[in-house]
Amino acid sequence: MNLSTTPGPIGVFDSGYGGLTILHGIRQLLPQYDFLYLGDNARAPYGPRSFDVVYEFTRQAVLRLFEEGCQLVILGCNTASAKALRSIQQNDLPGIAPNRRVLGVIRPTAEVVGSLTLSRHVGILATEGTIKSESYNLEIQKLHPDITVSGVACPFWVPLVEYDEADSPAADYFVEKQISLLMRKDPEIDTVILGCTHYPLLMSKILKYIPRGVRIVPQGEYVAESLQKYFVHHPEMEQRCSKGGIVRYLTTENPDKFRESAQLFLHEEVDVEKIVLS
């Protein structure tokens, strides 16, 4: 494995396409950096998979991004952040790449939510895997012990996005159903975190059914702001991220399908290379 400290792109990993919303948010704020996006689309979704499988798949992706020269990798996937991040940070990095870093998307969102909620009641809409992990609950209550957290799994939301059904009647049905379920669990919720990177593409439906006065928190802008602050506190890592404004894309599935789906998230044409993870 290439373990040099030569500056390289910022790696962004997701099991599918949702991490493109994280990449978009970071590029909006930090356009000068190079990025390498890796989507494990052939094995998506990760949400229903076990902790062990998500960890192994995520580990393979991180190692591939390291091989491609990334000094810093962001898990732009809530399921991977919930099920694999800590194990990779604690068990893998010290032995494999002690000078490289892997960050997730849960902590930045948990940090900011304390300044957004007035009622101190927060809701989470996420995949089954993220909800079962209770990662948001643990992270939010570690940082803000006074906040009550309630979560609801939304198993049909990712397929609605990936099959381009975000504007369909089915989207209305499932979005209204899960939001109603969440608000029944805790009517005092005034802030809802979209704990899956696909969900911003359902924003028009979410805003249609969320009660008036409840704030929606998508992750892209907060992860970007958190990364910007991270660079201030860790200038040595900032210097190891190359700056040329270049973005490359890798996928484990059909490149044509990736290009078509990426347009939904980025509204631009992309070139993509197919790879195999093992």
Side-chain angles (χ1 to χ4, degrees):
M1 184 186 299
N2 171 20
L3 288 179
S4 75
T5 57
T6 303
I10 298 169
V12 179
F13 168 67
D14 187 29
S15 58
Y17 303 103
L20 292 168
T21 61
I22 299 296
L23 174 63
H24 178 72
I26 297 173
R27 285 177 67 198
Q28 292 289 104
L29 188 63
L30 303 167
Q32 68 272 34
Y33 293 91
D34 296 327
F35 296 92
L36 178 58
Y37 183 89
L38 169 53
D40 189 13
N41 308 84
R43 301 188 294 196
Y46 280 15
R49 295 185 182 273
S50 70
F51 273 75
D52 289 345
V53 169
V54 171
Y55 162 68
E56 183 55 35
F57 286 179
T58 304
R59 183 178 181 275
Q60 292 169 5
V62 168
L63 292 179
R64 177 57 185 259
L65 288 167
F66 283 171
E67 288 172 1
E68 295 281 344
C70 297
Q71 303 289 331
L72 172 68
V73 173
I74 296 168
L75 303 185
C77 171
N78 285 269
T79 302
S81 294
K83 293 184 174 183
L85 176 62
R86 189 157 297 171
S87 294
I88 288 172
Q89 288 175 331
Q90 294 178 351
N91 302 335
D92 294 303
L93 287 185
I96 295 172
N99 295 319
R100 303 199 183 191
R101 295 292 178 265
V102 181
L103 306 176
V105 293
I106 291 176
R107 187 176 180 87
T109 316
E111 285 175 343
V112 78
V113 79
S115 64
L116 302 178
T117 173
L118 297 177
S119 71
R120 316 311 280 173
H121 289 255
V122 170
I124 313 291
L125 296 168
T127 65
E128 183 180 2
T130 298
I131 294 297
K132 280 186 174 178
S133 75
E134 296 193 339
S135 294
Y136 273 100
N137 307 52
L138 295 170
E139 203 65 48
I140 290 172
Q141 288 171 348
K142 187 194 307 178
L143 297 166
H144 314 288
D146 61 318
I147 291 180
T148 299
V149 182
S150 302
V152 165
C154 308
F156 297 103
W157 287 23
V158 169
L160 285 168
V161 171
E162 296 212 342
Y163 288 102
D164 200 14
E165 295 289 330
D167 293 321
S168 69
D172 279 278
Y173 174 79
F174 287 114
V175 169
E176 182 181 25
K177 180 180 178 182
Q178 304 314 119
I179 288 175
S180 296
L181 182 58
L182 179 64
M183 298 310 297
R184 283 201 302 273
K185 283 185 82 169
D186 183 358
E188 292 186 61
I189 287 170
D190 73 346
T191 304
V192 174
I193 294 171
L194 301 185
C196 174
T197 49
H198 283 70
Y199 295 177
L201 273 75
L202 291 165
M203 188 63 81
S204 64
K205 301 294 186 188
I206 293 168
L207 292 174
K208 182 177 177 182
Y209 295 110
I210 204 78
R212 182 172 296 178
V214 175
R215 182 170 191 158
I216 301 297
V217 183
Q219 295 177 300
E221 64 183 281
Y222 298 112
V223 172
E225 289 171 5
S226 178
L227 179 60
Q228 188 177 48
K229 291 175 187 173
Y230 179 85
F231 282 154
V232 171
H233 295 294
H234 300 276
E236 75 286 355
M237 284 307 302
E238 192 279 335
Q239 291 165 13
R240 289 166 61 187
C241 296
S242 55
K243 301 170 186 70
I246 296 167
V247 188
R248 291 175 54 217
Y249 299 88
L250 306 176
T251 180
T252 57
E253 203 184 43
N254 184 309
D256 291 333
K257 185 176 188 309
F258 184 95
R259 274 189 286 269
E260 183 181 327
S261 296
Q263 278 197 295
L264 292 172
F265 291 83
L266 301 175
H267 309 293
E268 64 181 72
E269 293 277 347
V270 304
D271 291 323
V272 61
E273 174 190 342
K274 183 178 180 180
I275 63 164
V276 175
L277 290 177
S278 59

